Amino acid sequence: MKPAPFVYHAPKTVEEAIAMLATVAPQDGRILAGGQSLVPAMALRLALPAHLVDINGVRSLERLGVENGELVIGACVRHAAFHRPVVDGPLGALLAQVARHIAHYPIRTRSTFCGSLANADPASEWCLVAATLNAQMVARSMRGSRTIAAAGYFQGPMTTALAADELLAEVRVPVISADTRFGFCEFSRRAGDFAIAMALATYRLRNGVIAEPRVGAGGVEGRPRRIAAAEAVLEGQRPGSEVFRAAADAVARSVEPLNDIRYPAAYRRDVVRAMTRRALESAAA
Ligand SMILES: Cc1cc2nc3c(=O)[nH]c(=O)nc-3n(C[C@H](O)[C@H](O)[C@H](O)COP(=O)(O)OP(=O)(O)OC[C@H]3O[C@@H](n4cnc5c(N)ncnc54)[C@H](O)[C@@H]3O)c2cc1C
């Protein structure tokens, strides 16, 4: 099937892009970024935007760098940019490890980090990273600019706090300290498939005990989120298999898993428990 007819717009600046979006958003006008989710949906006529605002010609959205202790990721930065560490220390290594799990190489050369966050697939790896590391989303529209914290940004499957006329111009991820340990683990049926469940864990060691633990779960619920109950289990404890198992159990108890014919809720709960334990073990290794 071919996409339904649409009008194509190619702005050269952010100001032009948000002005066009303001005009066309009421007629289901959409931003076109990497097109790796939107174009297949259009080809299947699951999405019928009357207008596309293609941001690929907006050079200022290619920004990628550290500013005031945050990694700034512009709307046109592709997944492939993270194949090699984009920042020294654990954040660069974490992003490089996670990037390898997203789809396949050709898709990663087109898809954008911000596009993943705008699309908000519950099984998106970047959404899990943003939720676990408390990223800030910077939205621009003709009404101005606003910053949305990850905790309020992800609202449900394919649903975010972005309004139809807002461009997700950049995402700001706090740079994590050099002594932060991290572990990421995901399970999917085949390499490149969306995750059935995944977990990201980070913590520091202070006098041999866990400090500032962060545990995020993705794929298992309608949106990724930090699991406070698991973080409370870890805080102040010596790292080890017993406490990791207890934290993984806390995740399994806390989540309300998606339930579908292929992956029933009980199965997803078991998988996220295993992914959390492995992520914590990997952080400790
Ligand atoms: C075979 C295949 C396997 C895949 N596997 C995975 C996977 O394992 N993990 C994963 O996370 N993803 C996976 N993806 C999805 C891929 O990463 C998507 O490209 C990504 O989720 C969306 O990024 P994009 O830049 O292509 O966005 P687009 O497809 O261009 O846009 C997606 C949606 O977001 C909106 N949008 C995009 N950018 C912005 C912006 N800056 N501001 C406001 N709205 C915006 C668009 O209007 C559209 O509604 C897969 C895709 C394919 C085709």
Side-chain angles (χ1 to χ4, degrees):
M1 218 190 291
K2 299 287 177 209
F6 59 89
V7 182
Y8 175 80
H9 307 267
K12 291 284 177 237
T13 65
V14 170
E15 290 69 26
E16 280 175 31
I18 58 177
M20 284 170 187
L21 194 56
T23 312
V24 302
Q27 303 148 54
D28 195 17
R30 302 258 203 115
I31 296 287
L32 174 68
Q36 299 300 299
S37 293
L38 182 55
V39 171
M42 288 171 66
L44 293 167
R45 302 213 175 187
L46 297 171
L48 299 166
H51 296 262
L52 287 187
V53 179
D54 181 350
I55 56 172
N56 288 280
V58 182
R59 301 300 301 272
S60 64
L61 295 176
E62 291 169 11
R63 192 162 163 225
L64 176 64
V66 176
E67 202 181 279
N68 299 327
E70 293 173 320
L71 178 66
V72 181
I73 305 167
C76 287
V77 174
R78 320 276 164 190
H79 300 345
F82 300 93
H83 284 160
R84 276 178 287 171
V86 295
V87 52
D88 289 340
L91 181 59
L94 183 162
L95 295 171
Q97 184 184 334
V98 171
R100 288 196 292 274
H101 290 267
I102 307 173
H104 308 281
Y105 185 84
I107 293 167
R108 295 198 292 268
T109 65
R110 294 300 308 161
S111 309
T112 61
F113 187 101
C114 291
S116 285
L117 266 66
N119 202 42
D121 191 296
S124 155
E125 287 84 353
W126 291 145
C127 292
L128 174 63
V129 167
T132 310
L133 300 186
N134 295 343
Q136 303 276 330
M137 289 17 116
V138 181
R140 298 267 314 262
S141 72
M142 291 302 282
R143 288 168 285 121
S145 173
R146 66 178 180 127
T147 301
I148 312 164
Y153 176 83
F154 297 107
Q155 301 197 335
M158 326 304 275
T159 309
T160 71
L162 283 180
D165 66 344
E166 281 183 315
L167 166 73
L168 179 59
E170 64 191 32
V171 174
R172 293 177 163 259
V173 184
V175 174
I176 49 184
S177 58
D179 62 346
T180 302
R181 293 159 175 266
F182 73 87
F184 170 76
C185 199
E186 88 165 48
F187 182 71
S188 56
R189 288 189 62 186
R190 295 168 303 196
D193 278 7
F194 279 97
I196 295 165
M198 58 188 157
L200 174 62
T202 72
Y203 65 84
R204 298 169 78 182
L205 281 181
R206 204 169 286 141
N207 300 324
V209 300
I210 294 173
E212 298 168 35
R214 289 183 246 206
V215 178
V220 64
E221 297 183 306
R223 63 189 174 99
R225 64 178 175 101
R226 285 176 66 174
I227 309 291
E231 295 173 355
V233 167
L234 294 165
E235 181 80 56
Q237 301 297 317
R238 290 196 179 277
S241 42
E242 205 169 309
V243 71
F244 293 162
R245 202 168 294 120
D249 285 343
V251 170
R253 273 196 308 275
S254 301
V255 293
E256 290 177 27
L258 298 165
N259 187 29
D260 58 60
I261 192 159
R262 289 184 312 159
Y263 308 119
Y267 174 69
R268 283 188 199 267
R269 195 186 298 281
D270 280 347
V271 177
V272 80
R273 178 189 285 115
M275 295 302 101
T276 306
R277 188 174 45 75
R278 287 184 203 175
L280 286 163
E281 282 166 357
S282 158

